[in-house]
Amino acid sequence: MLQLRPNCECCDRDLAPDSTEARICSFECTFCEACAGAVLGGRCPNCGGELVPRPRRPAAKLARFPASTERVLKPSGCGR
Ligand SMILES: [Zn+2]
Ligand SMILES: [Zn+2]
């Protein structure tokens, strides 16, 4: 099951479980649309894998299968 992490690893902006702006790699490194595109060029900086839109979990399922609340952030950021 996807963790649905709550924030972008680069800029720490909030990414709600129903956000259309969340991007993830196969390890679920999580980024916002802006960072994944302009800053990272569609590649995960941690594993080199592709970043794809994160599927949204239907609201009715979130009560039983809640999203992660553990924030993951790259201490050095992703800036160029
Ligand atoms: Zn970001
Ligand atoms: Zn990754």
Side-chain angles (χ1 to χ4, degrees):
M1 187 171 82
L2 291 178
Q3 295 173 27
L4 301 174
R5 295 178 186 171
N7 67 309
C8 171
E9 273 191 42
C10 286
C11 67
D12 201 31
R13 72 184 274 183
D14 289 337
L15 292 168
D18 63 349
S19 172
T20 59
E21 297 185 0
R23 301 289 183 270
I24 58 172
C25 76
S26 70
F27 294 101
E28 243 187 295
C29 308
T30 303
F31 305 95
C32 70
E33 181 180 39
C35 290
V39 179
L40 301 173
R43 289 275 153 197
C44 174
N46 301 324
C47 69
E50 63 189 330
L51 294 171
V52 300
R54 184 175 72 184
R56 287 169 290 158
R57 185 166 299 164
K61 300 290 183 195
L62 282 168
R64 264 189 78 193
F65 305 100
S68 169
T69 56
E70 189 177 327
R71 301 180 83 85
V72 177
L73 186 63
K74 289 176 77 64
S76 53
C78 301
R80 294 226 156 124

